[in-house]
Amino acid sequence: MKKIIQKPENWQDFESLCKKLWGEIWGIPMKIKKNGRTGQLQAGVDIYGVPNGEIDYWGIQCKGKDEYTDAKLTRREINEEIIKAKSFKPKLKVLIFASSMNKDSSIEEYVREKDIESTRSGGFEILLYCWEDIADLIDENRDTYNYYVNNQQYKSRFDFKILLNNFQEEFTIKPKCVRTIKKYRLSDYGNEMALFRPRTLGLGSWNDNLNPANISLITQGKINEAICSFEIIMINEGSVVIEDWRVTLEITGEYIEFFDQLGTGPMGMINLMALKYKRTYVEDGKISYTPKDNEPLIQKDNRYFEAHIIPKFKEYIIPIQWKILARDYNTSGKIYIKVEPEYEDKIIYEYINSVDELKEDEVISVEAKKNYKDNN
């Protein structure tokens, strides 16, 4: 789907855009000029220059329409501007009407007729570029595209953001995990009972944890304390309604598992009521959101849903790339999940018989903290 380029909000920005665009097309970015200043007579020409390879001046008459004046370019205006442009000095070779109005076949036909009439009588060529034509030219000319679209050096009527909890671009999660550490200790020489001393401390074995306090927790359901939840908040910050829209998010960093509903991952039974109102779908590290009944997102409103992740058990940052596709608007951005694990240490003692065998403590494994064992 081709990205739809939005119109500038006012005619001044439209005029500046035209100067930038035709400066690139003509190959004279430093020599193209605006004609005079606001309020001065301009002889039907707002922008002028001698394109690269030409010897005569070309002129542009910028007509901001639709969004700015709720009007369209008329035949009368065309006639008036043509008459004015005849007084521009030096004489023009080409006069371009650049209009922000949408294409209109009747006006395009009239400009073609005026072009033939002018050139056959020894006058300048007359061309018309409506907004769709201009948008195509912006897409084809990289410097202007970067200036206008990528760098957002214009005020768009559309503005959309995705944020995390508390409307922030970064959110910290704290997965709970069990870190098994091996410590080396000297055994008691001559004490045979040392060979039979307990060799693990800390959390103990699974059976050791089956005390009355934990039994009720186990019977209530499986608990994986490494699962972290976060909110995805989608906000329309623009001045117009966003219609026919959907959002996709892709986790571009490391993770163990990513899902959109507790119960669809390692949490046991699915919440059927939540499933009924579910608007998200997860596949291959991507989550997509589609509004109910294709409901539009009005100005200053937002939608949100909860997502869940089991990250790697280390300190790092997970980038999430997001993108919105809508009827008249596409954009993208990034949010970030910061991972700060909370460790619960399980100590294993390794008894050795000489000082030479002593080693530094070793982290043997780091696993999710659970009240159940995975089935093998």
Side-chain angles (χ1 to χ4, degrees):
M1 179 179 176
K2 182 179 178 181
K3 182 169 184 175
I4 296 175
I5 298 175
Q6 304 302 321
K7 301 177 184 180
E9 282 196 335
N10 55 68
W11 67 267
Q12 295 95 334
D13 288 346
F14 178 65
E15 186 179 72
S16 296
L17 171 61
C18 289
K19 177 176 178 289
K20 176 72 176 178
L21 176 60
W22 268 278
E24 183 176 359
I25 293 171
W26 293 349
I28 55 167
M30 302 301 294
K31 294 182 179 180
I32 191 168
K33 301 287 186 179
K34 289 184 180 181
N35 189 19
R37 63 178 187 271
T38 303
Q40 289 186 319
L41 296 176
Q42 296 174 303
V45 174
D46 295 316
I47 299 166
Y48 65 90
V50 179
N52 193 22
E54 298 284 341
I55 60 174
D56 297 311
Y57 278 93
W58 293 31
I60 301 172
Q61 172 59 225
C62 299
K63 289 294 184 182
K65 296 293 181 180
D66 280 347
E67 308 299 326
Y68 322 132
T69 61
D70 293 321
K72 292 186 177 182
L73 187 60
T74 65
R75 296 186 179 196
R76 179 178 177 179
E77 279 183 289
I78 292 169
N79 293 338
E80 290 175 350
E81 298 299 343
I82 290 172
I83 292 171
K84 292 177 185 177
K86 289 179 180 179
S87 64
F88 183 86
K89 294 181 181 180
K91 181 181 177 181
L92 292 177
K93 181 178 181 179
V94 177
L95 174 65
I96 294 173
F97 285 95
S99 176
S100 62
M101 79 170 190
N102 294 332
K103 291 175 76 67
D104 184 315
S105 60
S106 64
I107 290 298
E108 289 178 298
E109 179 182 335
Y110 185 72
V111 170
R112 292 194 299 269
E113 292 173 347
K114 297 302 291 185
D115 173 51
I116 292 174
E117 178 185 314
S118 178
T119 54
R120 285 182 178 175
S121 62
F124 43 68
E125 283 186 66
I126 304 171
L127 303 173
L128 170 64
Y129 288 85
C130 297
W131 179 250
E132 291 89 344
D133 304 316
I134 293 170
D136 285 341
L137 292 175
I138 292 171
D139 197 53
E140 295 165 6
N141 289 273
R142 189 50 43 187
D143 286 347
T144 304
Y145 185 93
N146 290 336
Y147 158 81
Y148 185 69
V149 178
N150 286 352
N151 293 335
Q152 295 183 348
Q153 294 183 17
Y154 70 101
K155 295 180 180 178
S156 173
R157 297 176 302 127
F158 289 89
D159 194 4
F160 177 87
K161 284 185 180 179
I162 288 186
L163 298 173
L164 294 162
N165 302 53
N166 302 317
F167 297 89
Q168 300 296 315
E169 290 185 351
E170 183 179 286
F171 179 66
T172 300
I173 58 175
K174 298 179 181 291
K176 292 185 178 181
C177 47
V178 176
R179 181 170 56 184
T180 301
I181 300 175
K182 181 187 285 188
K183 292 179 177 287
Y184 292 86
R185 293 290 185 269
L186 281 170
S187 62
D188 296 332
Y189 292 105
N191 184 353
E192 295 182 0
M193 293 303 295
L195 299 176
F196 301 101
R197 72 177 62 191
R199 295 185 176 238
T200 61
L201 294 174
L203 294 179
S205 67
W206 175 254
N207 289 333
D208 292 335
N209 282 334
L210 290 178
N211 56 53
N214 289 335
I215 291 176
S216 62
L217 182 65
I218 295 168
T219 56
Q220 289 175 5
K222 295 180 178 181
I223 303 297
N224 183 343
E225 296 187 55
I227 295 176
C228 298
S229 301
F230 56 94
E231 288 184 346
I232 300 291
I233 308 170
M234 302 163 286
I235 313 165
N236 181 357
E237 294 193 335
S239 60
V240 295
V241 175
I242 297 176
E243 299 180 280
D244 298 333
W245 63 286
R246 63 186 177 89
V247 167
T248 59
L249 302 100
E250 180 177 6
I251 296 185
T252 57
E254 298 178 292
Y255 66 96
I256 296 173
E257 190 166 359
F258 178 56
F259 41 101
D260 60 343
Q261 184 189 8
L262 293 179
T264 59
M267 292 295 288
M269 296 182 63
I270 296 175
N271 184 334
L272 295 179
M273 184 59 70
L275 189 62
K276 179 180 178 182
Y277 298 101
K278 190 168 175 282
R279 302 285 168 249
T280 54
Y281 177 75
V282 172
E283 184 177 19
D284 298 329
K286 294 182 180 179
I287 185 167
S288 59
Y289 175 92
T290 304
K292 179 183 177 183
D293 300 327
N294 207 22
E295 182 182 26
L297 186 62
I298 65 173
Q299 302 92 318
K300 309 307 178 185
D301 199 2
N302 67 75
R303 299 287 183 275
Y304 72 93
F305 63 89
E306 194 171 50
H308 315 275
I309 190 170
I310 303 176
K312 296 285 188 177
F313 304 130
K314 61 181 181 179
E315 291 193 3
Y316 71 113
I317 292 177
I318 304 174
I320 301 178
Q321 177 75 47
W322 61 263
K323 178 169 62 177
I324 179 174
L325 299 176
R327 181 193 299 174
D328 299 315
Y329 179 64
N330 302 336
T331 192
S332 60
K334 279 189 177 181
I335 49 179
Y336 302 90
I337 299 292
K338 187 176 182 181
V339 182
E340 295 181 355
E342 292 185 348
Y343 298 109
E344 191 168 322
D345 290 340
K346 174 182 177 181
I347 308 301
I348 297 177
Y349 288 100
E350 180 76 19
Y351 287 91
I352 45 90
N353 295 318
S354 69
V355 174
D356 293 338
E357 296 178 78
L358 283 174
K359 299 178 182 179
E360 296 290 333
D361 295 348
E362 297 178 16
V363 176
I364 303 302
S365 64
V366 182
E367 301 175 336
K369 184 181 179 182
K370 306 174 182 177
N371 72 341
Y372 62 96
K373 279 190 174 181
D374 293 320
N375 294 326
N376 295 325

